[in-house]
């Protein structure tokens, strides 16, 4: 750590999706690229954002429905950290250049909301202000999803194409949720260990491969417990939603304005459920389906990515970037098979294993803008060069060129598992699912099944989020992309129905999420809703 931010190489602001785990490939099914970011603010005090009390002081995890006393925090002073923009060459939308100031702060929140005067943890918060913002609309809290995605990275990354008209009404607020990045981060594995985990390709159809995959998960899970001890169960979705309300108070807002992507829709829905009277507007883009969970939700994602690859394959004959690939799917499957037999060279000491090849392919399906990169990677891989697929896999796992990782895998596993019922899935379910997925999802299923172990052996103190409702003053705006591979469109329909006071805006697009992804129709409706609370006409579908 140096200065007000941690310097990292080629970190991307991402929109992410919760899944069962983050071990190997699919383990995560998390990531979608948006704007590049090369720096992340640290707490204004320049001290690590860690717990202010030892883990032994953490309260006993509640065994029944907990009681939550009211919690308030004073308005927070932000220290100027505008230099982050120039020191990290962060791209800024032309209309915003020279007009932005940045403030950094650390907000203290209770580790355990049932005992708000007990152990505190710190959240790092970033405020971005446009000098032409003369309105009193308030702040706009943003979250990229995950869980484990950095809201600091997202806020900075959005600046390259965020509408100046919206910035004239809001201060943008980014934060790393508890356990993530600069906010009391969870650390479960070293960089070397993550390299090994991400490259592992055990054959789940054999006893030895099944046992190897299970042991990988157990070692990772046990290391998370070693890192946070008795505090670990409190890193969950419901507590993060409660943290969001304290951030609202800390920035001095009477009501919440929220923009959440992917798993960020689950956070936004949880907030609306817990604090309905505090919601002014909320945009939930790339909705996690509240009516599915566990293995079925994971299977829906895999189906979505297989279909996304078919869309890429249909594009190839029309594009000079990949029209040399006669059969893109056959090429991808042959590369994975070759890498399983003998990992491909990459021009470095690292090799492209089968699971890394699958991860690289999956990464490029989050956005149509990455299809040319996927084409180039498949063409290279066909010739035995795994370097381009490895580079895509590294984007997905957030591995920098110096070999360091963010803690996305650590935080995602901890938060996802703390939200999941204990004891699931069973060994029998995993065996049956692995066999089924290998056949039904040939590009991704074999390696995705490895991650079914991740929460099975996790610590037992869990808090499963309730199904959301939205008795909010203004209707919540849910956005669904008809061809979203990571959060299938049905999830947007189900979230809209489940929340009740919500409206669905659809987009006939491709890739993960919709806002700021190339549709002026979507963008205009969202901007108008954020500024004026005006919803699109009912049943609106924006064209490609």
């Amino acid at each position: 750590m140096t200065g007000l931010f941690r310097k990292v190489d080629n970190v991307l602001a991402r929109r992410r999706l919760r899944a069962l785990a983050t071990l190997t490939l699919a383990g995560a099914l998390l990531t979608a690229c948006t704007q590049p970011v090369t720096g992340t603010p640290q707490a204004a005090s320049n001290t690590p954002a860690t717990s202010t009390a030892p883990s032994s002081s953490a309260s006993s995890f509640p065994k029944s429905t907990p009681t939550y006393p009211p919690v308030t925090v004073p308005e927070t002073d932000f220290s100027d950290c505008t230099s982050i923009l120039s020191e990290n060459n962060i791209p800024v939308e032309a209309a915003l250049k020279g007009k932005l100031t940045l403030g950094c702060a650390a907000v203290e929140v209770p580790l355990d909301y049932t005992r708000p005067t007990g152990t505190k943890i710190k959240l790092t918060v970033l405020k971005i202000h446009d000098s032409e913002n003369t309105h009193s609309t308030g702040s706009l809290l943003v979250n990229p999803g995950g869980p484990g995605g950095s809201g600091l990275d997202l806020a900075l990354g959005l600046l390259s194409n965020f509408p100046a008209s919206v910035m004239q009404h809001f201060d943008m607020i980014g934060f790393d949720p508890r356990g993530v990045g600069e906010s009391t981060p969870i650390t479960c594995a070293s960089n070397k260990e993550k390299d090994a985990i991400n490259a592992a390709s055990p054959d789940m159809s054999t006893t030895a491969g099944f046992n190897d995959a299970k042991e990988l998960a157990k070692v990772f899970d046990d290391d998370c417990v070693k890192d946070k001890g008795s505090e670990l169960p409190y890193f969950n979705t419901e507590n993060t939603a409660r943290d969001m309300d304290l951030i609202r108070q800390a920035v001095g807002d009477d009501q919440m304005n929220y923009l959440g992507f992917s798993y960020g829709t689950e956070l936004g829905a949880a907030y609306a459920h817990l604090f309905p009277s505090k919601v002014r507007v909320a945009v939930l883009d790339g909705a996690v389906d509240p009516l599915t969970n566990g293995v079925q939700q994971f299977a829906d994602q895999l189906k979505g990515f297989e279909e996304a690859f078919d869309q890429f394959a249909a594009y190839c004959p029309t594009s000079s970037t990949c029209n040399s690939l006669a059969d893109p799917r056959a090429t991808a499957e042959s590369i994975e098979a070759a890498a399983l037999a003998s990992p491909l060279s990459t021009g470095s000491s690292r090799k492209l294993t089968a699971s890394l090849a699958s991860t690289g392919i999956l990464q490029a399906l989050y956005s149509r803008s990455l299809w040319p990169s996927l084409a180039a990677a498949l063409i290279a891989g066909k010739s035995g060069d795994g370097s381009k697929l490895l580079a895509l896999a590294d984007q997905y796992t957030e591995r920098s060129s110096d070999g360091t990782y963010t803690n996305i895998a650590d935080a995602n596993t901890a938060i996802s598992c703390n939200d999941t019922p204990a004891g699931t899935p069973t060994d029998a379910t995993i065996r049956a699912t692995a066999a089924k997925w290998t056949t039904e999802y040939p590009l991704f299923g074999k390696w995705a099944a490895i991650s079914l172990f991740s929460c099975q052996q996790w610590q037992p103190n869990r808090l499963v989020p309730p199904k959301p409702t939205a008795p909010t003053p203004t209707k919540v705006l849910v956005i669904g992309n008809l061809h979203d591979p990571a959060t299938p469109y049905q999830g947007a329909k189900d979230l809209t129905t489940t929340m009740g006071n919500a409206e669905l805006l659809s987009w006939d697009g491709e890739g993960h999420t919709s806002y700021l992804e190339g549709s002026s129709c979507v963008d205009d409706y969202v901007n108008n809703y954020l500024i004026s609370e005006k919803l699109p006409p009912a049943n609106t579908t924006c064209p490609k």
Side-chain angles (χ1 to χ4, degrees), residues 14 18 40 47 51 61 65 95 105 153 155 183 189 212 222 230 330 343 350 400-401 405 484-485:
R14 303 174 187 273
R18 162 206 296 288
T40 304
T47 57
S51 170
F61 197 76
T65 303
D153 284 355
S183 295
D212 286 348
D222 287 349
S230 61
R350 300 169 67 209
S400 296
S401 59
Y405 288 84
D484 191 321

Side-chain angles (χ1 to χ4, degrees), residues 331 335 338 344 352 375-389:
T331 298
I335 291 171
L344 305 186
L352 183 80
L378 293 178
I379 292 168
K382 187 177 181 181
S383 301
D385 176 7
S387 61
K388 288 180 168 51
L389 278 172

Side-chain angles (χ1 to χ4, degrees), residues 23-44:
L23 297 175
T24 71
L25 163 67
L29 290 187
L30 304 162
T31 315
C33 296
T34 54
Q35 301 81 4
V37 177
T38 55
T40 304
Q42 190 185 1

Side-chain angles (χ1 to χ4, degrees), residues 17-31 197-198 200 298 301-302 305 355-356 358-360 362-363 366 396-397 412 437 443-452 454:
L17 169 67
R18 162 206 296 288
L20 291 179
T22 52
L23 297 175
T24 71
L25 163 67
L29 290 187
L30 304 162
T31 315
I197 289 170
N198 291 328
F298 208 172
Q301 295 169 33
L302 293 173
F305 278 101
S355 62
L356 284 171
S358 191
T359 302
L362 183 137
Q363 160 66 10
Y366 272 91
Y396 184 90
T397 59
N412 180 271
W437 285 1
L443 283 176
F444 307 114
K446 186 180 184 70
W447 312 117
I450 297 168
S451 295
L452 292 169
S454 197

Side-chain angles (χ1 to χ4, degrees), residues 77-111:
D77 291 328
F78 283 80
S79 298
D80 183 84
C81 53
T82 308
S83 60
I84 289 172
L85 294 176
S86 58
E87 291 173 353
N88 292 273
N89 297 314
I90 292 171
V92 176
E93 209 277 333
L96 295 174
K97 284 185 177 178
K99 301 191 303 175
L100 299 179
T101 57
L102 274 60
C104 294
V107 176
E108 274 197 350
V109 300
L111 173 71

